[in-house]
Amino acid sequence: MKPEVSFLNQSRCFLAALTAIFVFFCLSSPAAGSEDPSSDNHGLMLAGLSELEGTHGHGPSSLDDLEGDHGHGPSGLDALEGTHGHDEMAVQDDGVICPEDSVCLEAETQLPLRLLPRPFSHVYSEPAADSDNIVIANIPAFHPLFVFERRDIDMSDPASPGGWYRVGQSRDDHQGWMQAADVMEWRQALLVSYTHPGGQIEGRNPVLMFRDLDSLKELVDDFGRQDRAREIYQGIETGDVPGEIVSMEPQRFVDITKQFYILPILDWEETSIMGDDVRLLQLAAAVPEQRGADTLDDEEYSSQARIQRGDQAGAAMEDLNVDIVFTIDTTRSMQPFIDMTREAVVKMVQDFTDDTAARFRFGLVGFRDCIDTVPWLEYDVLNFTPELVDGDRLIHLLEHELEETEVGSGDYAEEGFAGVDEALRSDWRDNSLRFMVFITDASSNPKGDPQNTTGKDEHDLRREADDAQVHILAIHLLDPRATEDHPIATPQYMKLSQVRGSSESAYTSVDAFEQEEYQALVDDIVMEINDLLQKALGTDDDAAAATAQVQDEPQEVGQGQEAVGKLWEAALVEYIGQSASPPKDIVAWAMDRDLVYTADRSLEVRVLVNRDQLSSLAQALDNVIQALMRAEVTQMQFFEALQSVSSQTMQSPEDISGAGRLADTGLLPSFIQALPYKSDILSLNDEMFASMTAEQRSQLEWNILAKLEQYRAINEQVDVWFRLNETDPDREMVYPLHLDYLP
C-alpha cells in the first residue's frame, strides 16, 4: 500500500526540472556560456511545438467573458479600432490600412480586413454595376474575401452603404470589385459554434434564428418566454413556422471540429434574464464550398433539421466502431484490480459476435508518478498500445505486461493526468465511438505541483477530450485508510468524466477493499458497452431492456450501467450528427442560451486562427516562459527578463521596459491584444510578479506550458484545419480555437 505522506510535496521534481530547463537554454544559445542564455529557442516548447515555426487560470469560455461595450458589438467595437503607432497618413478614418498592391489591414490588429458577400451578389471587373462587367456571378454567400482597395466607402446610412471594394478569394491576387451594399465587413476573427446539445430527453433545444433583433428581444423580454418558445418549437415540428423565424440549428449535433462551418459574429446586444447576462447575436452562416440559403421555408433543409438527435436515419451505422482505452494506475496495491479488469475483458471478448469482434479495438496506458522524484518507479506513463489492438491482444497485455510496481511512490497522489494525456493521443479510428476507462485509487498531482509532468489538470484535459470526442468513465477505488485524499480526487475525476452536453458525470466509485464489488462494476461496464453496440446495430433486441433495468437497491452494477449509458448517448449523438447539415447563406439573430432553459449554453465563442498566427502566439508564450524562468533564477524583474529573452524576436525589445503590463509590450500578436476578452496573463506586470508566491509563479508557468502543449497538439492534427476557400494555401488554413486556449 502507498505510504500516506503530505499531498503538497513541493520538493525535488520541480527544482530538478527548473534547474535542467534553465541550464538547457543557457547551453543552447548561439555561444555556450554567453551572457544571454535566452537568445535562442531553448526547446521549452513541448515536443513538436517548434514545428509550428515557418509552416504555412482558465480563460474565457463564453460570450460572457468578452469585454467591450454592452451595446452593439464587433461590427463597431471601440476595442477593435485604433492605429497602434502606424503612420497616421496611411490609416483611414475607420482604422484600416490599404497598402498598394497588398491586402488591406486593420490598423490595430494587423489582420487582413475581410468581407462577407451577401447572397446573389456579383464581382465586377470595374467599380460599376453593369451586367457587362460581371466576372463572377452569384459569388458564394458569406465566404470570406480579402480586400485590396476601398473606394468612396460611405457608411453614413448603414442600411444602404455606398462605395466599392476591390476583392479577392486569396491574399495573393484580387479578382474584381464588389459594391459596399453587397457585402459586410467582418472586422475580427470571432465566431461561434454550437455546443453539444446533450441527450434526447434532457438535452437543450436547438438554436432559433430570428429575422431581426426586435423579434428576438420581444420573445426574450416576454414573461411567458418559456411557454412561447415551446410553442415555436412545436410549430416548427408540425411545419407551422412562425414568420419571425428564419432558420434553426439542426436537432442533431454538428461538431465544428468535424464538419466545419462559419458563424461570424456581426453584431451583438447584451441583456439580462433572471440576473444572468446573456447575449443576442447577429450571425452570418456559411459552409465552405456549399451554396444555397437554408431557411425553414426550404423543405429539404427543414426536414433534415427536424430529425431528432437520437434518430439514426441517414447515419452510417454500418460503419460504426468502438475504441476503448484503459488508463490504469500501476502503482503498488493495484495488481488485484489489473487482474480483475483482465477478467472483465475476457468475458467481454467471449461475448463478441463475429461482427462485433471486428468493430472493437482497445488501448492500454499505465501510469505511476514523477520519476524525477522517484526514479525506481521506472515510468510516469507508458503506452502499451501505440496502435490499438484487438481483444485477445489486450488480454495478453493485461496478463503479462501491465504490472504494479513493487515499490512505494513517495506520496499518495499519482500522475493520473499524465495517463489521461497520453491516452487522449491514442490512434483512434475514424467512425468510432471513443471511450476511456480510467482506473485509480489516488488523486492526480494538480497543475503547479512539482510532480505534475504535463502542466495540465482536469479542466485542460476535459477540453481536449471534448475536441477529440473522447468520453471518459472514471473508476475511483476508495481506500478507507486514505480518506483525506478522497475530497481531492473526487472533484478531479468528476470533472474529468463529465458527460459532454450535460452537467452530469460518469464518475463511479467502489470501496477498494470490496474486490467483488469492483469485479461486478468493471464486468458491468464492459458488457454494457458490448450490449449497447449490438443494440445500435440492431443485432440485440434484448439490449434495450437490459439497459433500462432498475435495481431495487443501489449497487455498483447499476452505477456502472448508468455511467456507460450516459457516455454512450453523448457519443452516439456526435456520431449520428455527422449526417446533419448546419444552416448556411443566411443572416439572422440568435441568443447564446437555450430559449427555454437559459442556464444551458447553446453557442460558444471561438477565434479563427491560421497556422502562422498560432505559430506567432506560441513563440510569444515561449518567450514569456523563458522570462519567467530567468526572473525566478536570477532575481531579475519580470519585464527586464522579458526584454532580454525577446531581443532576437522583436524589432524594438527596449519598448518592453516602458510597458505597464504584458499586453502593452508588443510581444504578443496584435490580433490577440485587440480581441475584447478578459485575460489574467495579459494583465501581468512587475508588481504582480513580485507579489506572487513561489506556488503562484509555478502555477502561472504550468498554465502557459499547458497552452503551448495544446497548440502543439492542434498543429499536429491534420484533419482539424480547414480551407475557407479551395484556393487557399496551407498557411491560410484555419482552426476554430477555443477562447479558453488563448493566453
Side-chain angles (χ1 to χ4, degrees):
M1 190 63 204
K2 304 178 187 72
E4 296 178 31
V5 297
S6 170
F7 299 125
L8 297 176
N9 182 343
Q10 298 289 329
S11 57
R12 290 171 288 180
C13 206
F14 174 70
L15 294 176
L18 181 62
T19 303
I21 290 170
F22 188 73
V23 170
F24 178 70
F25 76 70
C26 286
L27 294 177
S28 63
S29 59
S34 68
E35 290 293 323
D36 183 7
S38 56
S39 56
D40 192 17
N41 190 326
H42 60 84
L44 190 59
M45 290 190 207
L46 304 179
L49 188 61
S50 59
E51 296 174 7
L52 289 171
E53 303 303 324
T55 60
H56 300 329
H58 304 292
S61 59
S62 71
L63 280 163
D64 292 335
D65 298 304
L66 293 175
E67 295 175 338
D69 291 341
H70 288 177
H72 292 292
S75 58
L77 277 175
D78 293 340
L80 295 178
E81 305 295 337
T83 61
H84 235 47
H86 293 288
D87 182 356
E88 294 292 340
M89 296 298 293
V91 181
Q92 300 178 15
D93 290 342
D94 52 357
V96 176
I97 305 171
C98 287
E100 186 175 354
D101 297 325
S102 183
V103 296
C104 296
L105 304 173
E106 295 184 60
E108 184 171 3
T109 67
Q110 289 297 289
L111 288 176
L113 176 63
R114 296 210 180 182
L115 302 177
L116 301 173
R118 298 180 186 275
F120 312 112
S121 300
H122 310 306
V123 179
Y124 299 88
S125 59
E126 301 291 338
D130 188 323
S131 60
D132 293 336
N133 292 338
I134 296 176
V135 292
I136 303 177
N138 195 20
I139 191 166
F142 310 122
H143 288 215
L145 301 174
F146 290 96
V147 179
F148 290 82
E149 183 180 344
R150 304 161 90 224
R151 183 174 295 182
D152 302 326
I153 297 300
D154 180 5
M155 295 293 182
S156 58
D157 181 5
S160 182
W164 290 81
Y165 296 91
R166 176 174 279 182
V167 303
Q169 292 181 318
S170 76
R171 67 167 69 207
D172 297 326
D173 193 19
H174 49 76
Q175 297 168 291
W177 294 83
M178 293 192 70
Q179 299 181 85
D182 288 341
V183 298
M184 296 172 287
E185 288 192 358
W186 184 28
R187 287 218 170 192
Q188 32 66 45
L190 292 178
L191 46 76
V192 293
S193 63
Y194 303 115
T195 63
H196 192 294
Q200 178 76 20
I201 298 176
E202 298 180 354
R204 66 168 176 81
N205 293 289
V207 175
L208 293 180
M209 300 180 177
F210 289 74
R211 295 189 184 278
D212 53 63
L213 176 60
D214 290 341
S215 298
L216 175 56
K217 289 176 68 174
E218 181 186 359
L219 175 61
V220 171
D221 295 339
D222 193 326
F223 285 110
R225 168 185 48 79
Q226 291 179 307
D227 290 337
R228 281 191 57 191
R230 291 189 182 99
E231 290 175 0
I232 292 175
Y233 286 116
Q234 290 169 1
I236 292 173
E237 189 63 29
T238 60
D240 183 15
V241 181
E244 67 268 25
I245 303 298
V246 177
S247 192
M248 180 182 76
E249 171 200 5
Q251 289 274 3
R252 293 180 292 184
F253 177 45
V254 183
D255 191 331
I256 193 172
T257 63
K258 304 300 179 184
Q259 298 164 263
F260 185 62
Y261 55 85
I262 310 169
L263 288 176
I265 303 172
L266 305 178
D267 202 356
W268 78 55
E269 258 194 27
E270 187 174 67
T271 188
S272 178
I273 298 178
M274 302 294 290
D276 192 10
D277 291 338
V278 301
R279 280 183 169 85
L280 314 180
L281 311 172
Q282 186 185 38
L283 306 171
V287 178
E289 302 180 29
Q290 294 187 27
R291 301 291 304 275
D294 286 327
T295 69
L296 291 178
D297 293 333
D298 180 341
E299 180 57 32
E300 182 177 355
Y301 176 77
S302 179
S303 295
Q304 73 91 23
R306 296 197 306 266
I307 297 176
Q308 297 300 307
R309 62 191 60 139
D311 192 331
Q312 299 177 9
M317 302 305 294
E318 67 277 5
D319 297 328
L320 179 64
N321 294 310
V322 177
D323 293 343
I324 306 174
V325 175
F326 289 88
T327 305
I328 303 178
D329 184 344
T330 59
T331 54
R332 192 166 60 181
S333 77
M334 286 298 296
Q335 192 62 48
F337 303 101
I338 295 172
D339 295 339
M340 286 184 284
T341 301
R342 181 189 68 247
E343 292 305 312
V345 174
V346 168
K347 295 175 185 177
M348 182 184 192
V349 171
Q350 290 173 343
D351 198 49
F352 283 165
T353 65
D354 291 341
D355 183 32
T356 56
R359 295 179 185 272
F360 276 102
R361 285 295 180 270
F362 298 92
L364 182 61
V365 172
F367 64 87
R368 290 175 179 170
D369 207 353
C370 175
I371 58 174
D372 290 335
T373 300
V374 192
W376 52 85
L377 289 177
E378 299 179 343
Y379 62 81
D380 43 34
V381 61
L382 181 61
N383 190 344
F384 293 84
T385 51
E387 295 183 355
L388 300 185
V389 300
D390 61 21
D392 290 334
R393 177 58 181 165
L394 177 64
I395 292 169
H396 175 85
L397 292 171
L398 288 167
E399 184 172 4
H400 299 289
E401 298 191 31
L402 188 75
E403 298 179 342
E404 71 170 18
T405 179
E406 295 181 357
V407 296
S409 56
D411 64 359
Y412 201 80
E414 311 294 2
E415 262 301 72
F417 290 152
V420 173
D421 186 53
E422 179 65 30
L424 286 176
R425 293 196 291 271
S426 295
D427 187 23
W428 307 100
R429 293 176 295 172
D430 294 334
N431 294 320
S432 67
L433 306 188
R434 302 171 179 181
F435 300 100
M436 185 191 308
V437 180
F438 175 80
I439 306 170
T440 187
D441 64 351
S443 62
S444 291
N445 298 314
K447 184 192 292 185
D449 186 282
Q451 296 187 85
N452 180 311
T453 60
T454 65
K456 299 179 182 180
D457 61 14
E458 64 271 23
H459 300 280
D460 301 313
L461 294 168
R462 178 69 261 163
R463 286 193 298 270
E464 293 182 25
D466 286 347
D467 282 348
Q469 292 190 341
V470 176
H471 302 265
I472 302 174
L473 188 151
I475 302 178
H476 185 194
L477 305 171
L478 301 173
D479 190 330
R481 296 172 299 179
T483 54
E484 64 268 39
D485 187 58
H486 300 169
I488 301 173
T490 299
Q492 288 180 335
Y493 302 143
M494 289 189 72
K495 179 62 180 180
L496 194 63
S497 60
Q498 183 174 335
V499 179
R500 196 174 183 196
S502 169
S503 60
E504 296 184 288
S505 174
Y507 167 88
T508 62
S509 62
V510 62
D511 189 319
F513 287 172
E514 299 294 337
Q515 294 187 3
E516 291 184 1
E517 292 184 8
Y518 174 81
Q519 185 71 71
L521 174 63
V522 72
D523 282 348
D524 181 65
I525 286 169
V526 296
M527 296 305 293
E528 185 73 0
I529 294 175
N530 196 8
D531 289 344
L532 286 170
L533 174 62
Q534 294 183 46
K535 177 187 174 185
L537 298 174
T539 58
D540 187 352
D541 294 335
D542 296 328
T547 302
Q549 183 180 4
V550 178
Q551 302 293 333
D552 293 334
E553 298 180 2
Q555 299 179 27
E556 284 73 22
V557 171
Q559 183 184 19
Q561 283 184 340
E562 182 181 6
V564 170
K566 293 173 184 176
L567 291 182
W568 184 272
E569 182 180 28
L572 200 60
V573 162
E574 293 170 344
Y575 185 83
I576 292 173
Q578 295 179 69
S579 57
S581 299
K584 61 184 181 299
D585 293 4
I586 59 172
V587 174
W589 284 86
M591 190 168 78
D592 67 335
R593 305 293 186 93
D594 187 329
L595 282 164
V596 179
Y597 305 106
T598 55
D600 294 339
R601 189 171 301 283
S602 56
L603 296 167
E604 62 180 354
V605 183
R606 295 174 181 253
V607 58
L608 208 59
V609 298
N610 60 33
R611 287 184 182 272
D612 287 343
Q613 291 164 349
L614 193 63
S615 173
S616 62
L617 182 56
Q619 180 61 56
L621 289 188
D622 188 52
N623 282 346
V624 173
I625 279 289
Q626 290 187 46
L628 290 171
M629 294 289 189
R630 182 166 186 148
E632 187 79 22
V633 174
T634 65
Q635 303 302 309
M636 282 184 175
Q637 287 194 325
F638 170 66
F639 275 18
E640 181 185 359
L642 187 61
Q643 181 175 338
S644 175
V645 302
S646 304
S647 59
Q648 293 193 5
T649 60
M650 292 184 64
Q651 292 182 348
S652 303
E654 63 276 3
D655 293 343
I656 291 178
S657 59
R661 57 195 182 115
L662 183 58
D664 302 326
T665 61
L667 175 66
L668 290 165
S670 52
F671 82 94
I672 292 295
Q673 299 174 51
L675 288 176
Y677 78 101
K678 303 171 186 175
S679 167
D680 293 335
I681 295 177
L682 293 182
S683 301
L684 186 64
N685 56 33
D686 276 333
E687 291 73 22
M688 288 176 58
F689 181 76
S691 66
M692 286 182 177
T693 65
E695 183 177 351
Q696 289 172 330
R697 292 181 183 182
S698 176
Q699 188 75 24
L700 176 62
E701 292 163 8
W702 284 119
N703 282 337
I704 297 175
L705 284 170
K707 294 182 187 299
L708 288 173
E709 170 64 9
Q710 287 162 343
Y711 300 163
R712 180 204 62 76
I714 290 169
N715 183 64
E716 288 183 348
Q717 297 177 65
V718 177
D719 59 347
V720 301
W721 292 87
F722 301 92
R723 285 183 170 84
L724 295 178
N725 298 290
E726 59 182 8
T727 58
D728 288 348
D730 287 351
R731 70 176 185 277
E732 290 299 331
M733 295 178 72
V734 295
Y735 176 81
L737 190 71
H738 284 288
L739 279 183
D740 288 343
Y741 289 176
L742 294 180

